[in-house]
Amino acid sequence: MFTGLVVDRGRVRNARERGEILELEVDAGRMARELNPGDSISVNGVCLTATEVSRKRFSTQVMPETLIRSTLSRLRKGDAVNLELPPRAGDRLGGHFVQGHVDGTATVTRFAEDDGARRVWLSADHDILRYLVDKGSVTLDGVSLTIVEVGRTTFQVALIPHTLSVTTLSDLRVGDEVNLEVDVLAKYVAKLSERKQ
């Protein structure tokens, strides 16, 4: 489990395909020292397992199902990624409960600058939009965000200056895709509602 509060950015050192599996090597700086082989780490919102760890980097393997549902298949050497470790017992739990199980992707459709912050509109499939609500939570590339509003085919989030300074969301351009995870509570509520009908 994660919180969606990205604390650091990493950089892809190597991305190579081994059959249907993508092997990633990521420069993670000081964060790598907190990892052991077998530990979970969120990479752009996707929960992955560290397979090898050194003082400044880690390696991981991405399975075909994850490659289909996420943007990780597009990662190349030199790309920046958002990183988060699971919280420890006793840590403050900001953000919201994030599983690292990406539901799909959303595409950036437009931006508007807003006094140092940035409003971002994104399009997503109806199957995803049905779980989003105004002022609810959503995770984009591993970052916990509050939804400003939800339309028929798009939704809007606002990125504060701090988020822009510490995450890769500052690099987004119109047409870019991001990994999206809906709030797991929304999924359970929808499932219970369907059973009652």
Side-chain angles (χ1 to χ4, degrees):
M1 187 199 80
F2 304 93
T3 65
L5 298 182
V6 170
V7 295
D8 215 343
R9 284 193 270 195
R11 197 159 293 277
V12 176
R13 183 179 180 86
N14 212 333
R16 53 187 172 269
E17 294 177 6
R18 299 284 173 121
E20 295 185 336
I21 295 173
L22 175 67
E23 293 185 347
L24 291 176
E25 186 179 8
V26 180
D27 286 323
R30 59 184 170 77
M31 186 179 284
R33 295 182 202 134
E34 298 183 50
L35 276 174
N36 291 303
D39 285 351
S40 294
I41 184 167
S42 172
V43 178
N44 276 359
V46 180
C47 179
L48 299 173
T49 301
T51 54
E52 293 179 31
V53 179
S54 68
R55 286 189 69 246
K56 293 186 177 180
R57 65 183 62 102
F58 68 91
S59 297
T60 187
Q61 297 173 321
V62 188
M63 303 305 289
E65 173 69 12
T66 304
L67 294 173
I68 291 167
R69 285 185 176 267
S70 74
T71 63
L72 295 191
S73 64
R74 300 184 195 110
L75 288 177
R76 298 293 177 261
K77 182 177 180 178
D79 286 349
V81 290
N82 293 322
L83 300 176
E84 183 191 357
L85 293 172
R88 294 186 179 99
D91 281 354
R92 290 182 178 171
L93 295 176
H96 70 282
F97 292 115
V98 176
Q99 295 181 300
H101 303 163
V102 170
D103 295 295
T105 60
T107 304
V108 176
T109 59
R110 69 182 172 110
F111 295 97
E113 299 302 321
D114 188 5
D115 197 25
R118 182 175 299 158
R119 291 180 179 268
V120 185
W121 284 261
L122 303 103
S123 63
D125 290 341
H126 172 73
D127 289 345
I128 288 175
L129 285 173
R130 72 190 197 102
Y131 294 112
L132 306 184
V133 296
D134 294 2
K135 309 306 179 278
S137 296
V138 68
T139 307
L140 300 179
D141 272 357
V143 182
S144 173
L145 297 167
T146 300
I147 300 164
V148 175
E149 64 180 9
V150 180
R152 193 171 55 82
T153 59
T154 63
F155 67 99
Q156 180 194 156
V157 296
L159 307 178
I160 62 173
H162 176 75
T163 301
L164 291 169
S165 69
V166 300
T167 74
T168 62
L169 298 185
S170 60
D171 302 329
L172 290 177
R173 301 290 177 263
V174 171
D176 285 351
E177 283 188 302
V178 293
N179 295 320
L180 185 152
E181 180 184 334
V182 301
D183 188 344
V184 67
L185 296 177
K187 293 181 191 176
Y188 285 123
V189 169
K191 192 73 170 178
L192 289 170
S193 297
E194 289 168 4
R195 286 180 180 170
K196 289 181 180 179
Q197 293 176 355

